[in-house]
Amino acid sequence: MGNQVGKKEKKKQETIDLSAASLLLLCRLSQSRSLPAMEEQQQQKKNKYSIIVPTYNERLNIALLVYLMSVLYVYYGIGKQFITNYPLFRAFQVPYGCFCLVRDVDFEMIIVDDGSPDGTQDVVKKLQEVYGEDRILLRARPKKLGLGTAYVHGLKHASGNFVVIMDADLSHHPKYLSSFIKKQMETGASIVTGTRYVKGGGVHGWNLKRKLTSRGANVLAQTLLWPGVSDLTGSFRLYKKSVLEDVISTCVSKGYVFQMEIIVRASRKGYHIEEVPITFVDRVYGSSKLGGSEIVEYLKGLVYLLVST
């Protein structure tokens, strides 16, 4: 009796091992170049998205952000169908997650860290060991040099034809990226920006004072600048890389005003801008870097854009 049970267990284990081997083989075959013409056609259709994430003391957030991005990879495009059809996939650790399963889009994350003393760079290096240095790029700087220059620095290392900018503190959930990509594909927009101030958008975790301050800043900017978008101070956006390179070359702001300046200048240049509603969630870990000096900087930037655009 015990011998029969042992044989059944052995056969069951062999079946699981075979399923795992088949899964890995299918993953490898999906990357095969045995059909050059088909591969060339697929490559022409594939877009690559370079996601630039500036960091300063984000040790507690960056790993979760990268994980959420990897989940997006699983559930975007054919990855979702694959998981549905092969539930055993969840039981096995395939190297680099399931990047190899996604054929229609490609991602890289460019972490621009400004010399964080909390060990953020050490965490990113560990993430590189898991996901690969071709997926997670660390492009560190020695000290804090401003948010705008962090995007410029990251852009120099971007290899995608689209660029996404987002915060590292989980205020911007990666789940919205699929909506950004879909909107861009449907409309051909040069820029897709997330907005808190249309139907379906919102803010979670702010007190009334901060909500009124943010809303008032946007209303003031709308009244003076007429940018054609509802959320000027938002920092969750998708750009065509060529458009971002063109607009960013005319920007002079280095701090938080950079977000407002770049969208205003893009609007003045006549670029097609679309909006997607998002819910902004206040950070869970760490402290906000927005203070009184940033508010003064915003007001100065508003006056500068009023007279220069």
Side-chain angles (χ1 to χ4, degrees):
M1 181 70 177
N3 189 33
Q4 291 179 347
V5 172
K7 287 182 178 180
K8 288 183 179 179
E9 289 296 326
K10 184 178 181 181
K11 187 174 181 180
K12 181 179 179 181
Q13 184 61 44
E14 288 176 349
T15 302
I16 293 176
D17 290 342
L18 181 60
S19 299
S22 299
L23 176 61
L24 290 172
L25 178 60
L26 183 58
C27 183
R28 298 282 175 83
L29 288 176
S30 71
Q31 295 178 309
S32 173
R33 296 191 177 276
S34 59
L35 298 174
M38 184 179 296
E39 287 291 332
E40 182 178 355
Q41 184 178 8
Q42 288 177 342
Q43 188 65 34
Q44 290 175 351
K45 294 180 179 179
K46 185 192 297 184
N47 289 316
K48 184 171 184 179
Y49 299 84
S50 298
I51 303 166
I52 301 175
V53 183
T55 59
Y56 186 77
N57 289 345
E58 297 292 356
R59 178 178 61 86
L60 297 176
N61 292 315
I62 191 63
L64 183 53
L65 177 64
V66 172
Y67 168 75
L68 290 172
M69 193 63 66
S70 71
V71 172
L72 173 68
Y73 242 123
V74 175
Y75 286 97
Y76 192 93
I78 67 170
K80 181 175 182 179
Q81 182 179 0
F82 192 94
I83 292 296
T84 302
N85 293 339
Y86 296 90
L88 274 174
F89 178 84
R90 291 190 292 265
F92 299 95
Q93 297 298 319
V94 179
Y96 304 112
C98 58
F99 291 138
C100 59
L101 301 179
V102 181
R103 306 295 295 170
D104 51 350
V105 294
D106 193 10
F107 286 90
E108 65 180 3
M109 292 188 70
I110 303 171
I111 313 298
V112 181
D113 185 73
D114 277 0
S116 297
D118 73 336
T120 297
Q121 292 185 32
D122 294 332
V123 174
V124 174
K125 289 174 183 177
K126 290 293 184 182
L127 292 170
Q128 288 179 315
E129 294 176 7
V130 176
Y131 294 100
E133 293 185 15
D134 59 329
R135 297 293 181 184
I136 310 298
L137 287 69
L138 175 60
R139 297 296 180 262
R141 302 192 297 176
K143 61 181 181 179
K144 293 184 74 173
L145 298 171
L147 188 62
T149 61
Y151 291 129
V152 173
H153 184 70
L155 184 59
K156 292 178 181 177
H157 301 281
S159 61
N161 55 327
F162 287 91
V163 174
V164 174
I165 61 174
M166 63 187 301
D167 293 345
D169 61 5
L170 305 176
S171 297
H172 302 145
H173 199 294
K175 69 181 181 181
Y176 293 111
L177 281 179
S178 58
S179 299
F180 282 34
I181 293 170
K182 182 180 179 182
K183 175 69 74 171
Q184 195 284 322
M185 288 181 172
E186 290 175 346
T187 64
S190 300
I191 302 171
V192 178
T193 181
T195 176
R196 299 160 287 181
Y197 302 124
V198 297
K199 184 178 180 180
V203 175
H204 180 76
W206 281 3
N207 58 33
L208 181 60
K209 179 181 178 181
R210 190 169 178 186
K211 287 182 179 179
L212 291 175
T213 300
S214 176
R215 189 60 167 167
N218 270 280
V219 169
L220 181 61
Q222 291 281 347
T223 303
L224 297 178
L225 301 176
W226 291 90
V229 295
S230 61
D231 195 344
L232 264 178
T233 57
S235 55
F236 193 8
R237 296 173 185 158
L238 181 152
Y239 298 86
K240 288 182 178 178
K241 184 182 179 182
S242 58
V243 171
L244 181 57
E245 288 174 329
D246 176 42
V247 178
I248 210 169
S249 65
T250 64
C251 293
V252 299
S253 304
K254 295 182 180 181
Y256 288 89
V257 180
F258 172 84
Q259 306 291 0
M260 179 170 62
E261 181 177 4
I262 199 167
I263 205 73
V264 169
R265 293 197 181 280
S267 178
R268 299 292 190 268
K269 284 175 173 284
Y271 285 118
H272 180 184
I273 304 172
E274 291 284 344
E275 294 186 311
V276 168
I278 65 168
T279 297
F280 179 96
V281 180
D282 198 17
R283 65 165 55 243
V284 177
Y285 300 111
S287 57
S288 174
K289 301 166 184 69
L290 181 65
S293 61
E294 283 75 24
I295 295 175
V296 173
E297 181 186 349
Y298 171 82
L299 295 174
K300 289 181 179 178
L302 191 61
V303 174
Y304 166 74
L305 290 175
L306 181 62
V307 299
S308 66
T309 61

